[in-house]
Amino acid sequence: MRHGRYPLIVSFLLPPLVLYGIFVLSPYLQAFQISTTDWLGYSAQADPVGLANFRTLLHDGYVWNALKNNAILLALVPVLTIALGLFFATMLTMGGRKGRAGVSGVRGTSVYRLVYFFPQVLSVVIIALLWKEIYHPNSGLLNGALRALGLPAPTWLGDPRFAFWCVLAVMVWSNVGFYVVLFGAAMQAIPRDIYEAVLLDGASRAVMLRKITIPLLWDTVQVAWIYLAIAALDGFILVQLMTNGGPNFSSDVIGNRMYDTAFGSETKFGYASAIGVVMFFLTLSVAVLALRAARRDRIEHS
Amino acid sequence: MNRRDILRRSAAAGLLATPAAGLLAGCATSGGDDKSDAGTYKGTKSEQNPLGVKDDAPLEVVIFNGGFGEEYAKSHEAMYKEKYPKAEIKHSATQEINKTLQPRFVDGTPPDVVNNSGAGQIDPNGLVSQNALADLGELLAAPSLDIPGKTVKDTLLPGAVDVGSYDGKFLVMNYTYTVYGIWHSTKLFTERNWQYAKTWDEHIALCKQIKAAGIAPWTYAGIHPRYMSWPLISTAIKLGGPSVALAIDNLEPNAWKSDAMKTAADAWYQIVKDKYILEGSPGLDHKQSQTAWCQGKAAFISCGSWLESEQKDVTPAGFNMTVAPTPSLGSGDKLPFEAIRGTAGEPFIVPAKAKNVAGGLEYFRTMLSKKGAQDFTKKVASLTVVAGTTEGVELPFGLTSVVKALEASGSNGFNWVYNNYYRKLERNLVDAACGEFFSGRSTPAEFLDQCQKGADSIAQDSSIKKYKRAA
């Protein structure tokens, strides 16, 4: 049957590959080329300037400030999201107390799963607007609750001490649900008899999680890690809509810097492309590092 | 292949697809050489056709679909078509002018008329410095369409031409006339028996009274704090005269730290220090703060004359918003209390590479006719730059107060344009400084320092084209 395969493969793979080449790869290559010009975006005139844009970038305090924020996101968002995701998924799949073999979820698992997944259904724009109202300093849900408890009510998005952390919290919130479902699905694939065996050996739940569940989930966690790291290097939509990088650039991220340089406050497309190229390499290195660091011996169960 | 492999591979594909580096190139592919003007339309000039429109040449109009909608443009287009029935008009409207048109500018095939406005506006400096705009000088010299005996220029309000001029060339036709001032509700003030204060000391005393009544005297858009730079700079200009603005526009060294600016910043610091600003304002965006003001939680807000139509949906009946000039600092002020900042806004352009440049200019002449301007004012309740076209048009309360303020201000009106020349300076740098200042995190001296540092960074950036204006 081998002779029938190639036409099939070609007809299924070639069109998407061509589209990918035209709409993803070629703009990338062009971004590299544009980043070495002084192109201002509204005429065809663009003179090559070599690496001048990258030199400017090196001394651009606003870019470094944005990168610093991305670094914090990178350090915290994946860890928080995966930890919360694992915790909730564990509770949903094996938190229940039914029977000695304790591997059923808490009551109402399917409802919880739906609720957790809910933010994933909303567009990021809606999430941003929703939280902007929750953080509303006077009529927002959050400050209403704080006031009811007699606590001080800060101006969340208007205070450089809080704005960035508010966006970070939303980023984690909007991601957790997806990973709860993902981890939950992976956990269900783990054979029950393994749990029964360790339970008979007298393992506690914590030991079960550490020694059985996480090792068997490792591939999935690794994928989650890479996705979240990439998301942490972006963060653009939430920042743009919730704070626009402010106040006083305290919540700026590199994606916002790039957008602002090209479309926002000036029209330096060459320079913006240089920022884009830097982003590309950062994302690539982060992904490679994450893959390397997360590599472990695979545990097979059959 | 098992599920995990699929996940892992899709992650690898996601790796390439996720970061946005390709975005810029994706929506704006560079390429295409400068096209010659072989394909442009030219007609013969005559008394009836002073701009030389080719009567059957198609005209393409792109409108920003924002607060004004697009209906007004359709009726301007109908007026154009009345005169040139053979011309085919292509109309489109978008909220994202920049993203829609940027590739067409690069490609050398832009539309003939663009309403370059909104948050997705194309940076005017970017267009001007790349010679992408047609010179509108010819339009100014042409006779008005329906105001006999006057050229188009003669029919415009003072300052309408300056705003769109770069190094003396008129490149951007700003169609609306916007007044910037301090707004309050006449209803609230009558009920409480308050009087709008004409001097700063009285203003502070009034703020005290308002606060005692349980209402916050001020609120502002903390997410876009540059709104508060407008009254502050206005106060300085009224104290020191228009040269204060001139120095700022021309990026003169220490323009932001002039004595007038210092005195004005010190004065405004009073409302910060005495906590005359609605608590939480630094965390509000413009809509949220304007809504708080409409709900009567604050007495004053700084905004332009678009405020009334922007707040149409949430303004309570009988609220009766009124614009007023900034209070005078004292008897030493160079300009009287009535002087108010008025400027032309809502920019329209004809791209230099448009096929039908003459048609674009003629379309502007239609907009600037008495009929065109009155139609606009009626449809969207905003003033145009054409003088005296509000006669016989019924205006809403707020806009009536704008007309009155303008009349009172007369020839004392003032304006600045640094925000047009160097958008980054206002939108990013002064904006950030205002945020720190009006939330009480920086002192007047630190505020002016931060603004000056921003201006200096623009002045030193050789990649930004600089403009000078004369008084």
Side-chain angles (χ1 to χ4, degrees):
Chain A
M1 289 299 287
R2 287 189 70 88
H3 54 88
R5 255 172 68 176
Y6 290 105
L8 186 78
I9 290 175
V10 166
S11 60
F12 271 86
L13 279 186
L14 208 56
L17 277 178
V18 168
L19 288 176
Y20 190 77
I22 293 175
F23 292 110
V24 180
L25 293 181
S26 81
Y28 262 106
L29 294 176
Q30 282 189 26
F32 279 78
Q33 185 253 321
I34 294 170
S35 72
T36 62
T37 66
D38 62 357
W39 191 42
L40 290 172
Y42 293 95
S43 72
Q45 196 200 339
D47 297 321
V49 291
L51 296 177
N53 284 330
F54 293 93
R55 270 198 294 277
T56 318
L57 222 154
L58 217 54
H59 303 288
D60 189 332
Y62 296 107
V63 167
W64 282 108
N65 167 60
L67 277 177
K68 185 203 80 195
N69 284 339
N70 276 115
I72 300 175
L73 287 179
L74 186 61
L76 292 182
V77 169
V79 175
L80 289 175
T81 314
I82 290 175
L84 285 172
L86 275 175
F87 173 72
F88 289 131
T90 313
M91 292 308 282
L92 291 187
T93 36
M94 49 193 76
R97 311 201 152 267
K98 200 166 52 181
R100 270 291 287 133
V103 281
S104 65
V106 292
R107 211 177 295 170
T109 290
S110 53
V111 177
Y112 283 124
R113 203 166 275 162
L114 198 73
V115 171
Y116 283 132
F117 198 69
F118 192 60
Q120 209 61 39
V121 183
L122 298 176
S123 111
V124 192
V125 177
I126 294 176
I127 291 178
L129 296 179
L130 196 79
W131 278 89
K132 217 162 108 179
E133 287 307 315
I134 294 178
Y135 285 131
H136 192 297
N138 299 325
S139 52
L141 204 62
L142 187 57
N143 276 359
L146 286 176
R147 278 200 200 93
L149 295 171
L151 295 170
T155 52
W156 300 107
L157 297 176
D159 193 323
R161 285 174 301 167
F162 300 124
F164 174 69
W165 304 103
C166 290
V167 177
L168 192 147
V170 176
M171 217 164 154
V172 171
W173 177 85
S174 61
N175 277 318
V176 161
F178 176 76
Y179 294 99
V180 170
V181 175
L182 181 71
F183 294 150
M187 279 177 193
Q188 306 231 298
I190 300 173
R192 302 286 104 168
D193 31 356
I194 299 184
Y195 287 115
E196 278 167 27
V198 293
L199 273 173
L200 286 175
D201 289 344
S204 70
R205 264 169 225 275
V207 170
M208 239 164 68
L209 181 68
R210 199 158 48 86
K211 293 252 162 101
I212 306 291
T213 314
I214 294 182
L216 285 175
L217 281 184
W218 196 249
D219 278 356
T220 318
V221 172
Q222 199 181 341
V223 168
W225 195 278
I226 296 168
Y227 266 134
L228 285 166
I230 293 172
L233 280 179
D234 181 18
F236 164 70
I237 307 178
L238 284 180
V239 166
Q240 157 91 0
L241 286 167
M242 288 176 66
T243 64
N244 199 16
N248 204 10
F249 300 96
S250 61
S251 61
D252 212 4
V253 291
I254 189 74
N256 201 42
R257 212 69 331 271
M258 178 175 86
Y259 180 85
D260 192 59
T261 307
F263 301 108
S265 63
E266 30 186 4
T267 63
K268 291 183 184 167
F269 278 74
Y271 189 53
S273 293
I275 298 179
V277 167
V278 168
M279 271 176 85
F280 173 80
F281 281 116
L282 282 179
T283 319
L284 206 64
S285 355
V286 164
V288 170
L289 282 178
L291 273 172
R292 282 277 153 86
R295 187 176 289 165
R296 279 195 178 190
D297 284 337
R298 225 160 137 193
I299 299 165
E300 293 283 354
H301 56 82
S302 53
Chain B
M1 200 196 245
N2 62 27
R3 180 176 48 81
R4 289 178 189 173
D5 283 337
I6 293 175
L7 270 174
R8 206 163 43 193
R9 268 162 220 183
S10 69
L15 243 190
L16 285 170
T18 312
L23 175 118
L24 296 171
C27 56
T29 306
S30 81
D33 295 316
D34 286 5
K35 300 222 162 72
S36 63
D37 31 285
T40 56
Y41 301 103
K42 281 201 179 85
T44 358
K45 289 185 188 181
S46 68
E47 207 170 304
Q48 276 306 302
N49 186 5
L51 297 164
V53 180
K54 190 161 181 284
D55 62 351
D56 60 348
L59 182 78
E60 188 185 353
V61 182
V62 178
I63 297 295
F64 165 65
N65 197 351
F68 296 138
E70 52 174 317
E71 288 311 311
Y72 75 88
K74 284 185 182 154
S75 67
H76 286 152
E77 285 155 18
M79 289 175 205
Y80 181 93
K81 201 159 167 94
E82 234 170 75
K83 198 170 173 201
Y84 302 98
K86 277 190 265 174
E88 197 186 308
I89 297 182
K90 193 179 161 211
H91 167 99
S92 58
T94 170
Q95 302 221 348
E96 294 286 355
I97 291 290
N98 196 340
K99 283 177 212 154
T100 318
L101 296 182
Q102 204 248 347
R104 296 186 56 188
F105 270 98
V106 177
D107 201 31
T109 55
D112 305 307
V113 172
V114 178
N115 172 205
N116 181 28
S117 188
Q121 176 202 45
I122 310 174
D123 174 19
N125 188 327
L127 289 171
V128 174
S129 65
Q130 294 170 70
N131 302 320
L133 299 182
D135 191 339
L136 308 176
E138 217 182 332
L139 167 74
L140 292 178
S144 162
L145 203 62
D146 59 0
I147 306 170
K150 284 187 173 178
T151 64
V152 169
K153 191 177 182 180
D154 295 337
T155 65
L156 302 181
L157 283 171
V161 175
D162 301 341
V163 179
S165 297
Y166 292 80
D167 287 339
K169 263 206 259 176
F170 185 52
L171 300 174
V172 181
M173 196 276 281
N174 286 285
Y175 189 50
T176 64
Y177 204 74
T178 309
V179 165
Y180 292 78
I182 299 174
W183 293 78
H184 66 272
S185 155
T186 329
K187 185 184 170 216
L188 178 73
F189 274 53
T190 324
E191 274 172 12
R192 305 275 179 155
N193 206 10
W194 293 332
Q195 277 288 320
Y196 187 82
K198 292 194 170 181
T199 70
W200 191 253
D201 291 340
E202 284 166 27
H203 180 79
I204 294 296
L206 177 61
C207 284
K208 198 173 175 187
Q209 211 181 335
I210 294 171
K211 197 180 178 187
I215 296 174
W218 274 88
T219 186
Y220 71 100
I223 306 287
H224 312 286
R226 60 176 178 273
Y227 279 52
M228 285 308 273
S229 70
W230 306 334
L232 196 154
I233 301 174
S234 298
T235 303
I237 293 172
K238 281 163 89 161
L239 174 69
S243 62
V244 175
L246 195 69
I248 288 176
D249 289 344
N250 289 344
L251 295 179
E252 278 173 24
N254 287 324
W256 287 86
K257 298 204 231 172
S258 64
D259 288 340
M261 283 298 287
K262 273 184 190 149
T263 317
D266 283 339
W268 278 92
Y269 194 50
Q270 193 73 38
I271 69 160
V272 182
K273 257 196 319 211
D274 290 351
K275 304 213 181 310
Y276 287 152
I277 298 175
L278 177 69
E279 221 178 293
S281 293
L284 304 176
D285 70 8
H286 63 296
K287 282 261 182 183
Q288 289 171 331
S289 64
Q290 285 161 199
T291 304
W293 173 74
C294 278
Q295 289 166 346
K297 290 181 182 150
F300 297 118
I301 195 163
S302 151
C303 200
S305 45
W306 63 82
L307 179 66
E308 188 174 39
S309 58
E310 195 170 41
Q311 290 302 103
K312 208 163 49 190
D313 299 336
V314 292
T315 312
F319 185 76
N320 289 354
M321 58 176 79
T322 303
V323 71
T326 50
S328 305
L329 280 178
S331 52
D333 275 21
K334 292 234 168 75
L335 297 176
F337 162 75
E338 285 76 18
I340 199 162
R341 178 184 177 205
T343 174
E346 202 59 22
F348 282 76
I349 52 174
V350 174
K353 285 183 189 157
K355 283 233 164 77
N356 193 359
V357 170
L361 294 183
E362 179 71 13
Y363 179 77
F364 285 175
R365 200 160 75 108
T366 315
M367 290 174 75
L368 294 172
S369 67
K370 191 166 185 181
K371 191 178 163 202
Q374 277 189 338
D375 187 81
F376 179 83
T377 305
K378 262 184 232 162
K379 279 209 166 70
V380 305
S382 165
L383 304 182
T384 66
V385 289
V386 187
T389 47
T390 54
E391 288 157 32
V393 182
E394 204 185 313
L395 300 175
F397 195 95
L399 199 58
T400 314
S401 82
V402 169
V403 176
K404 274 189 209 149
L406 257 184
E407 275 166 12
S409 170
S411 61
N412 287 312
F414 57 89
N415 187 32
W416 58 85
V417 291
Y418 84 89
N419 50 320
N420 287 355
Y421 288 173
Y422 318 108
R423 199 155 58 136
K424 182 181 179 182
L425 182 52
E426 190 194 37
R427 294 223 173 180
N428 276 9
L429 308 174
V430 171
D431 193 66
C434 285
E436 296 299 287
F437 182 57
F438 284 98
S439 59
R441 291 190 295 266
S442 69
T443 64
E446 284 164 353
F447 163 69
L448 295 178
D449 269 343
Q450 201 182 342
C451 293
Q452 186 59 50
K453 239 174 82 189
D456 290 343
S457 74
I458 299 285
Q460 281 152 16
D461 189 338
S462 58
S463 65
I464 298 173
K465 188 169 166 31
K466 308 297 185 310
Y467 305 97
K468 287 260 182 282
R469 80 181 172 96

